[in-house]
């Protein structure tokens, strides 16, 4: 298996623009997680899905952020409009079982908003 | 109080010595505990998981859990330069076993 795939790997955009991050989880994994990592706040869980259904989005910072999982092999995280404080590395992770099982992380998308 | 606390480091350890990384958590009924390793510019990868009190050994790594003290640690024996990385402690919460809460990580540096 290729592992968790994320695209793009790097994204530089201007404030106010829409940003869409993409993730393909490992085939057969029922759970998909979106994280954000910054030096100041560390690794934060934004939202997670189980069988394509959003279960907990309490970590989504505000209405500018939205996430979808239209099918078992694809998820998006959208920021509209983007702001400089959104600059971070965004990771997608998937797991076969939640919590008590290993989460496999993608390579991350480094987002810079100028 | 943060849910998962770690000393940010850096922790500098000579090659061949034992590196000891510590973590405390606030949710008394947390049930699953993990150590992830993250190299600079890379994504986290799981190196140890532990679910019951006591020690769990895997090669050069030993995870130790003390639920009464709400404390989990990671020992790395015979430290190698390749062990230089940030180590993230992670805990599942009682409110949702599906969520893993990560600590801010301890940066470990192994000096030759």
């Amino acid at each position: 298996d290729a592992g968790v795939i994320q695209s793009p790997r790097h994204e530089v955009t201007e404030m106010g623009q829409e940003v869409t991050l993409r993730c393909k989880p490992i085939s057969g994994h029922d759970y998909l997680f979106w994280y954000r990592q910054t030096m100041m706040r560390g690794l934060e869980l934004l939202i997670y899905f189980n069988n394509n259904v959003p279960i907990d989005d309490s970590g989504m910072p505000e209405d500018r952020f939205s996430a979808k999982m239209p099918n078992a092999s694809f998820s998006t995280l959208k920021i509209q409009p983007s702001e400089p404080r959104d600059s971070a590395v965004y990771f997608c992770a998937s797991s076969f079982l939640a919590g008590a099982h290993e989460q496999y992380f993608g390579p991350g998308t480094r987002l810079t908003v100028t | 109080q943060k849910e998962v606390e770690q000393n940010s480091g850096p922790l500098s350890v000579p090659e061949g010595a034992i590196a000891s990384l510590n973590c405390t958590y606030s949710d008394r009924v947390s049930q699953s505990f993990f150590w992830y390793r993250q190299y600079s510019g890379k994504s986290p990868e799981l190196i140890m998981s532990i679910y019951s009190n006591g020690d769990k050994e895997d090669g050069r790594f030993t995870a130790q859990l003390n639920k009464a003290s709400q404390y989990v640690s990671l020992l790395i024996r015979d430290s190698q330069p390749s062990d230089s990385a940030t180590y993230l402690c992670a805990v599942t919460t009682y409110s949702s076993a599906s969520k893993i809460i990560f600590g801010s990580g301890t940066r470990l540096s192994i000096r030759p």
Side-chain angles (χ1 to χ4, degrees):
Chain A
D1 200 313
V4 176
I5 298 172
Q6 291 187 250
S7 64
R9 293 293 306 277
H10 302 273
E11 177 79 33
V12 180
T13 191
E14 293 183 347
M15 182 174 62
Q17 296 299 306
E18 178 179 296
V19 175
T20 299
L21 311 181
R22 297 171 176 79
C23 174
K24 175 179 169 53
I26 294 173
S27 177
H29 282 191
D30 298 328
Y31 289 83
L32 183 140
F33 305 83
W34 281 102
Y35 292 90
R36 177 173 69 177
Q37 187 173 41
T38 62
M39 288 293 293
M40 289 296 295
R41 301 176 65 88
L43 192 62
E44 303 173 282
L45 177 65
L46 301 177
I47 185 172
Y48 78 92
F49 296 82
N50 176 213
N51 291 326
N52 313 338
V53 176
I55 302 300
D56 186 340
D57 65 354
S58 60
M60 296 286 262
E62 50 197 273
D63 292 345
R64 297 185 298 107
F65 286 68
S66 63
K68 294 181 180 180
M69 192 165 185
N71 57 62
S73 59
F74 184 65
S75 177
T76 60
L77 179 68
K78 185 176 294 186
I79 308 172
Q80 166 63 20
S82 58
E83 296 182 4
R85 59 193 169 116
D86 300 330
S87 298
V89 179
Y90 291 80
F91 288 106
C92 175
S94 70
S95 71
F96 177 59
L97 294 173
H101 205 269
E102 178 173 1
Q103 290 188 18
Y104 292 83
F105 282 75
T109 295
R110 182 173 295 277
L111 173 65
T112 303
V113 183
T114 60
Chain B
Q1 181 188 7
K2 289 184 179 180
E3 292 183 84
V4 182
E5 297 212 45
Q6 298 181 253
N7 188 318
S8 62
L11 175 66
S12 182
V13 173
E15 184 175 356
I18 296 175
S20 178
L21 304 164
N22 304 314
C23 170
T24 58
Y25 59 94
S26 61
D27 187 345
R28 184 170 293 277
V29 293
S30 293
Q31 297 182 343
S32 304
F33 307 86
F34 308 91
W35 284 98
Y36 281 77
R37 178 177 61 199
Q38 187 175 23
Y39 291 114
S40 180
K42 302 296 184 182
S43 56
E45 58 176 330
L46 181 70
I47 54 172
M48 289 289 286
S49 58
I50 186 167
Y51 307 105
S52 55
N53 279 328
D55 295 0
K56 178 181 178 182
E57 186 176 317
D58 184 1
R60 296 186 297 112
F61 298 96
T62 298
Q64 299 176 316
L65 175 61
N66 183 326
K67 290 187 177 181
S69 300
Q70 295 174 238
Y71 177 92
V72 58
S73 65
L74 179 70
L75 301 177
I76 306 175
R77 290 182 300 280
D78 188 23
S79 297
Q80 303 296 311
S82 60
D83 295 325
S84 296
T86 296
Y87 289 80
L88 303 169
C89 174
V91 175
T92 57
T93 67
Y94 176 74
S95 60
S96 171
S98 303
K99 289 174 64 170
I100 292 181
I101 306 299
F102 284 85
S104 57
T106 297
R107 191 154 50 96
L108 174 65
S109 176
I110 307 300
R111 55 181 191 271

